[in-house]
């Protein structure tokens, strides 16, 4: 089997693990929401590998598998009662909260995975392949394109309709305040910094801890509960009027 075929098989195996994970979870569970999104990402990566769409198929597959492995390890550690990275704690702790919308779960997962795991996966891949991170830059960008396309579909599919958005301005603010492009840029910068620090154990470890904590803080913001309110027309005793609220409910 050539490198593209082996890489496609390896990424496909990761997608199968994710499908098995979601099969045992209720649809509204935050982990299920994010994992379903991730299955789409792995499918796109596998498709590009099969089509020869990466500069270095072997390194791209290595990056994709190591990247996914960090998320799957966090979920498994949580299930076994072990400590998980700070970046994943908001999603894992808030996964069943009724006032958190699916789009928040999806973006919080993408934030944790891109902001923290991607930088470490780049370093892990560089060490495993014996290449500098700069050699992975082209394929890093190709994976980033896949993530961007999936994120756009997530926002379109999971955001409430216009009427609900009018009533849930905090949700619009929360979701609109986070940028995948900026998170990708930060992940690449963090990977380059960590690579430069790879021979300085204490500095490297501290940088990883600070990166993890900072990404976790953003995750907590993204998972701010936003109460699901009904429109006034559905409230007993309240009639629709010519006001802004009444116009929404009519």
């Amino acid at each position: 089997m050539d490198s593209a075929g082996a890489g496609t098989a390896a990424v496909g195996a990761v997608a199968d693990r994710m499908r098995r994970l979601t099969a045992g979870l209720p649809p509204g569970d935050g982990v299920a929401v994010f994992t379903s999104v991730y299955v789409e990402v792995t499918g796109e990566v596998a498709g590009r590998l099969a089509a020869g769409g990466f500069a270095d198929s072997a390194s791209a597959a290595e990056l994709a598998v190591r990247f996914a492995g960090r998320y799957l390890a966090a979920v498994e550690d949580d299930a076994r009662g072990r400590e998980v990275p700070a970046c994943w704690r908001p999603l894992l702790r808030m996964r069943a909260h009724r006032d958190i919308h699916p789009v928040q779960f999806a973006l919080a997962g993408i934030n944790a995975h891109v902001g923290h795991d991607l930088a470490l996966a780049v370093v892990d891949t560089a060490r495993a392949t014996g290449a500098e991170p700069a050699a992975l830059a082209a394929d890093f960008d190709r994976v980033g394109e896949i993530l961007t396309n999936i994120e756009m579909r997530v926002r379109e599919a999971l955001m409430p309709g216009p009427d609900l958005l009018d009533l849930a301005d905090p949700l619009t603010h929360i979701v609109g305040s986070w940028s995948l492009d900026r998170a990708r840029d930060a992940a690449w910068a963090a990977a380059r910094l960590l690579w430069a620090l790879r021979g300085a154990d204490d500095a490297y470890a501290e940088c990883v801890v600070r990166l993890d904590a900072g990404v976790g803080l953003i995750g907590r913001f993204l998972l701010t509960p936003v109460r699901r309110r009904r429109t006034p027309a559905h409230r007993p005793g309240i009639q629709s009027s010519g006001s802004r609220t009444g116009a929404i409910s009519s």
Side-chain angles (χ1 to χ4, degrees), residues 114-178:
V114 171
H116 174 265
D117 294 352
L118 184 54
L120 295 178
V122 168
V123 174
D124 291 343
T125 302
R127 282 174 166 160
T129 61
E132 294 281 326
L136 303 172
D139 288 333
F140 178 95
D141 288 340
R142 288 178 173 88
V143 171
E145 290 170 7
I146 292 171
L147 289 167
T148 297
N149 291 336
I150 297 293
E151 186 222 11
M152 289 174 62
R153 298 209 295 265
V154 164
R155 289 179 184 268
E156 291 172 0
L158 298 183
M159 281 295 285
D163 287 354
L164 288 179
L165 282 179
D166 246 351
L167 287 173
D169 288 336
L171 178 61
T172 309
H173 173 75
I174 290 166
V175 171
S177 296
W178 185 80

Side-chain angles (χ1 to χ4, degrees), residues 221-247:
F221 165 74
L222 286 170
L223 292 177
T224 300
V226 179
R227 187 173 298 279
R228 300 166 188 258
R229 292 180 290 177
R230 294 188 295 178
T231 60
H234 296 155
R235 295 176 186 168
I238 298 181
Q239 299 297 321
S240 194
S241 69
S243 67
R244 179 173 180 271
T245 305

Side-chain angles (χ1 to χ4, degrees), residues 73-105:
V75 174
E76 181 177 350
D77 285 345
D78 184 63
R80 295 177 181 275
R82 296 193 288 256
E83 185 175 6
V84 299
C87 63
W88 285 112
R89 288 175 204 156
L91 178 62
L92 293 169
R93 302 295 179 265
M94 305 286 279
R95 60 193 289 180
H97 200 296
R98 295 179 61 184
D99 289 328
I100 296 176
H101 295 249
V103 68
Q104 294 175 264
F105 287 131

